[in-house]
Amino acid sequence: MVNSHTGACKTCMASADIKHGYLSIAMAPYCSGVQTSHQRKESEDEDVRFLRTSRLGKPPDPLRWQDEHARPSFDDIHPKRDTGLDLAITNSAREQYSDNGYVRTVVQVLNVLKKTDDMSAKLAQFSGKLSAHDFVIVLKVMRDTRLAFSFFSWFKQQPAYTPELNTFMAVVRCLLHDAKWEKLGIIVEEMYDLKFYLNSHMFCTIIKEASAKGRTAVSEKWFARMKEMGIKLDLSGYNTMMLVYNKAGKFSEVYALFREMVQNNVSPNIVSYCHLLSACKSTRNVEEAERLFRLMKDQGVAPDLVAFTLLLEVYGNEGKIEQLRVLMDEMRMLGIAPDARTYTCLINAYAKAEMLDLVSEVFEDCHKTGRVLDEMFYISMIRVYCQANKYKQAEEVVKFMQDNRIPVNELCYSTIIAAYAKAGRWKTAIKVFKTMKSSPVKVGEELNLLMLSIYLQARQFQPCEELYKNMLLRGQNRNVAAYEIMIKVYEQTNRSAQISEIFSRMKSNLCVGNISIYNKLIDLFGGAMNTSMVDKVFEEMKLVKVRPTSDTYFLLLGAYLKAGEYQNAISLYTHMKESGFPLEARLIEIMVAVLTKAGKLDEAEKMSTEKN
């Protein structure tokens, strides 16, 4: 029901935002397979049917489309593909879909093709032998769909080629999969010129796919193209674009589309109003949200659980506790039962208002009524208790989840561990981490990094090193923060050899450090008078283009001074002057010391005078 790429419900086209592992803006969590009031027939998975199109008959006469009511339905034009096409090309499948037996050979040729320029020569033996149906099958099973456009160009040059909607739709599917927007535009323009039937559902699919890949500008271009081609915008088209704008944070455009809908006599449905409420939530516009909620009811659109929950979130974010409670009473009067997200909204609102007694009431109420809640509700409870320094209650929530076989994930534990760490309760945080490791929950890289820091603060160096080695074994070897923590560990335990090893490991793993870690390495190696390692670190900085700071040069000059390598210090200082690097007072002071030690007293005195 929920598109894993967009975080949007395909059925209701509702706006969604993946945050902390759950849908945080939208309606998608409410689509559990049961039709609700906002899941209208016109917004069924048309995009799925569009993507599955392969074998089509002759398109209807375009003249019939002038009468809106005479338009054929989307399913008439784009019937579902025979399920056999979803199977691999076996011998029986080849016999079923191709009479000439060339499909498998063409697929083999395309699978090893290295350059598109070689396509015509490689496929010359099949010229005029592939039917339109064979072409569709090849596109379905070929390994690299990026060749679809070139293969179609070759196919159109074949003798007796006749344009068929079937073949065009197969190419569109491949180009959409590979996000080839310009080539997709060429194909659709060609379909338009050939007077193939185009409607808003195909464009909506393209618009949503572009949005899913973070290409809002592409979505806007396709929306404009749909208008330019004279495709009549229906409810589905407006809702889709409102979804795109909500995801992109273009909330003024959401309102503008709503006004355009009304002007074009397209009646908004519950999905449209929910997009607007979602925009109000993001812009923290309580008055507009209340106005839209009233307008929705005045227009005869009954608010559902999604709409109520969005308005509850608007109230909760602004601390409108009284309005929130009144709205909850209205929900109960209408017989609309709260779900996990509704309860989460309540506890977050009460926690923000520092009304922890009401938070506990909500927690008890949802269990008394036998509500089946997801793990994110409990994570919200854990977070609320941790923010209020109620750590024991937070741990009790985890225990409750385990006792009632509610999935306990990493976020549950990491929330508690981070709270203990923030309070400086290192040992308690470590205890919770050990409990987590004894459970089936897997530990991710971010939590491992947090634990490295906690072990360092608690001065438990041995378990810190063990965890670091375990991270390396699991391939977590490109985290600069982990290396920085371990450098501090080895510094405090006087293990310079391990520090050198970390530097070598960073280089071998192509891990680019930050200025902080490079300065730390120069400081440590300089303190140990290991100037060869100092030089290697400085060279590595220049190689990975990390720009030296005043601290870097101060540490370098100090290392050369301590090791008695005065000429190296003088050469470095000369390079700094020639490159126009700002010479701070402390840099001049250390150079005066270098020149004095080097016996160049006149130069030292002159530099000291210039400084003063």
Side-chain angles (χ1 to χ4, degrees):
M1 296 294 292
V2 177
N3 188 319
S4 61
H5 298 290
T6 64
C9 173
K10 291 182 179 178
T11 303
C12 64
M13 292 175 296
S15 120
D17 185 14
I18 302 297
K19 186 176 182 182
H20 302 305
Y22 70 106
L23 301 172
S24 67
I25 289 182
M27 290 54 76
Y30 305 103
C31 300
S32 58
V34 179
Q35 290 291 323
T36 60
S37 60
H38 68 286
Q39 294 171 334
R40 300 291 188 248
K41 185 177 180 180
E42 75 273 8
S43 58
E44 291 179 357
D45 275 347
E46 305 291 4
D47 52 335
V48 174
R49 280 194 283 277
F50 156 68
L51 288 173
R52 290 178 172 232
T53 302
S54 69
R55 221 170 17 188
L56 304 170
K58 184 180 178 181
D61 182 358
L63 295 177
R64 291 175 55 203
W65 308 338
Q66 295 175 2
D67 180 3
E68 177 63 23
H69 299 287
R71 281 195 178 194
S73 70
F74 186 77
D75 288 337
D76 291 336
I77 305 303
H78 308 300
K80 288 185 178 180
R81 173 183 294 178
D82 190 310
T83 55
L85 284 177
D86 292 326
L87 302 175
I89 294 295
T90 58
N91 288 333
S92 59
R94 185 178 63 183
E95 290 171 4
Q96 182 179 358
Y97 296 116
S98 177
D99 295 328
N100 54 40
Y102 290 115
V103 171
R104 180 184 291 275
T105 312
V106 170
V107 170
Q108 290 174 346
V109 170
L110 292 175
N111 283 348
V112 297
L113 190 68
K114 297 185 183 300
K115 297 180 180 178
T116 54
D117 294 340
D118 299 336
M119 184 177 293
S120 295
K122 297 287 185 182
L123 296 178
Q125 58 180 311
F126 305 107
S127 179
K129 297 178 181 178
L130 289 181
S131 67
H133 199 63
D134 293 332
F135 174 81
V136 173
I137 302 303
V138 171
L139 286 188
K140 174 66 182 177
V141 299
M142 64 192 292
R143 183 179 301 150
D144 190 352
T145 54
R146 292 173 297 178
L147 296 173
F149 188 81
S150 300
F151 182 46
F152 190 39
S153 299
W154 172 85
F155 182 72
K156 287 189 291 185
Q157 297 171 5
Q158 304 312 297
Y161 162 74
T162 302
E164 293 187 18
L165 186 57
N166 181 9
T167 52
F168 277 92
M169 298 300 283
V171 177
V172 167
R173 176 176 59 83
C174 292
L175 295 176
L176 191 58
H177 176 270
D178 294 320
K180 302 295 183 182
W181 310 116
E182 292 184 8
K183 292 179 179 178
L184 188 58
I186 294 171
I187 294 297
V188 173
E189 289 287 350
E190 190 173 347
M191 292 171 69
Y192 179 77
D193 293 339
L194 290 169
K195 293 184 168 52
F196 284 137
Y197 174 63
L198 303 175
N199 66 8
S200 66
H201 292 300
M202 183 183 75
F203 285 88
C204 288
T205 301
I206 297 171
I207 288 168
K208 284 193 284 187
E209 285 297 316
S211 175
K213 292 177 170 61
R215 303 293 300 275
T216 304
V218 173
S219 295
E220 291 176 316
K221 286 180 181 178
W222 278 94
F223 189 66
R225 177 175 278 162
M226 179 165 54
K227 291 181 177 180
E228 291 168 3
M229 287 184 170
I231 309 298
K232 185 172 180 180
L233 271 171
D234 56 11
L235 182 62
S236 172
Y238 280 113
N239 282 346
T240 298
M241 204 59 206
M242 289 170 79
L243 164 65
V244 171
Y245 281 137
N246 251 330
K247 286 181 59 183
K250 296 188 172 185
F251 306 114
S252 59
E253 281 84 351
V254 176
Y255 298 126
L257 276 179
F258 179 73
R259 290 191 293 270
E260 184 181 321
M261 285 176 69
V262 175
Q263 290 171 0
N264 292 337
N265 297 318
V266 178
S267 299
N269 66 355
I270 187 64
V271 180
S272 313
Y273 283 107
C274 284
H275 284 315
L276 291 166
L277 290 172
S278 181
C280 290
K281 173 190 164 187
S282 300
T283 56
R284 306 175 76 93
N285 194 334
V286 178
E287 292 76 13
E288 182 66 10
E290 291 177 327
R291 187 189 71 80
L292 288 167
F293 202 75
R294 288 193 301 269
L295 177 64
M296 176 172 55
K297 292 192 285 187
D298 292 343
Q299 295 297 320
V301 180
D304 60 2
L305 177 59
V306 178
F308 272 108
T309 302
L310 283 168
L311 186 54
L312 285 170
E313 289 175 333
V314 171
Y315 286 144
N317 289 344
E318 299 304 311
K320 305 283 186 181
I321 301 300
E322 187 58 36
Q323 291 93 323
L324 183 144
R325 301 189 77 169
V326 170
L327 193 62
M328 279 296 298
D329 290 338
E330 184 181 344
M331 278 182 63
R332 293 190 181 98
M333 288 177 61
L334 293 173
I336 299 176
D339 69 349
R341 180 170 167 181
T342 313
Y343 282 122
T344 301
C345 167
L346 292 176
I347 62 172
N348 287 335
Y350 292 148
K352 188 175 181 180
E354 298 183 352
M355 303 169 73
L356 290 183
D357 53 335
L358 291 179
V359 171
S360 299
E361 279 184 22
V362 172
F363 187 68
E364 292 172 6
D365 177 62
C366 67
H367 290 295
K368 285 178 182 177
T369 54
R371 303 293 179 204
V372 179
L373 304 176
D374 60 16
E375 62 269 22
M376 291 314 303
F377 168 76
Y378 295 99
I379 290 171
S380 296
M381 286 295 304
I382 292 168
R383 188 176 291 115
V384 165
Y385 281 134
C386 287
Q387 288 172 350
N389 299 326
K390 304 286 185 181
Y391 306 115
K392 288 297 180 184
Q393 288 90 327
E395 291 186 51
E396 286 172 6
V397 174
V398 174
K399 188 176 184 305
F400 177 88
M401 293 174 69
Q402 293 170 333
D403 293 343
N404 290 273
R405 297 183 179 180
I406 299 167
V408 179
N409 59 22
E410 182 190 13
L411 188 54
C412 298
Y413 286 106
S414 62
T415 302
I416 298 174
I417 291 170
Y420 279 130
K422 187 177 180 181
R425 300 175 61 176
W426 316 116
K427 292 183 179 179
T428 314
I430 293 169
K431 182 180 176 182
V432 175
F433 182 64
K434 289 179 179 177
T435 303
M436 178 185 176
K437 288 204 296 183
S438 63
S439 71
V441 180
K442 293 183 178 180
V443 183
E445 185 172 5
E446 288 301 318
L447 183 53
N448 277 333
L449 185 62
L450 174 61
M451 288 309 304
L452 284 178
S453 176
I454 290 172
Y455 281 130
L456 174 63
Q457 296 292 338
R459 298 187 63 81
Q460 295 191 18
F461 301 128
Q462 184 176 346
C464 185
E465 188 172 5
E466 290 173 359
L467 179 58
Y468 165 70
K469 290 179 179 177
N470 182 258
M471 290 175 68
L472 295 179
L473 289 173
R474 294 174 59 184
Q476 299 172 2
N477 54 14
R478 301 191 67 180
N479 196 312
V480 176
Y483 290 124
E484 196 167 5
I485 290 170
M486 290 311 299
I487 287 172
K488 293 178 182 177
V489 169
Y490 293 137
E491 178 189 8
Q492 293 185 30
T493 54
N494 299 316
R495 299 164 68 186
S496 56
Q498 278 72 19
I499 296 175
S500 300
E501 183 184 331
I502 283 182
F503 177 63
S504 300
R505 188 180 295 279
M506 286 177 62
K507 289 180 63 177
S508 63
N509 290 325
L510 303 178
C511 179
V512 178
N514 52 33
I515 188 63
S516 173
I517 198 169
Y518 286 123
N519 283 351
K520 188 66 177 176
L521 287 168
I522 291 172
D523 185 25
L524 292 173
F525 290 133
M529 291 192 291
N530 189 347
T531 53
S532 63
M533 286 301 298
V534 168
D535 292 338
K536 286 181 181 179
V537 173
F538 189 51
E539 288 300 319
E540 179 68 15
M541 281 183 67
K542 291 189 286 186
L543 183 66
V544 297
K545 298 182 180 179
V546 175
R547 192 171 183 177
T549 63
S550 177
D551 289 337
T552 309
Y553 286 118
F554 181 77
L555 292 170
L556 285 167
L557 292 172
Y560 293 138
L561 174 62
K562 187 173 183 178
E565 298 181 8
Y566 310 126
Q567 190 56 48
N568 285 343
I570 294 169
S571 299
L572 178 64
Y573 187 77
T574 303
H575 170 74
M576 290 166 59
K577 287 181 66 177
E578 291 174 352
S579 62
F581 190 87
L583 300 175
E584 297 178 358
R586 61 174 180 164
L587 297 176
I588 297 175
E589 286 175 1
I590 200 169
M591 272 309 299
V592 169
V594 168
L595 293 171
T596 302
K597 288 282 187 179
K600 299 184 178 184
L601 301 180
D602 293 341
E603 292 181 33
E605 186 178 353
K606 182 180 178 182
M607 186 176 290
S608 180
T609 304
E610 290 176 354
K611 169 181 170 290
N612 295 328

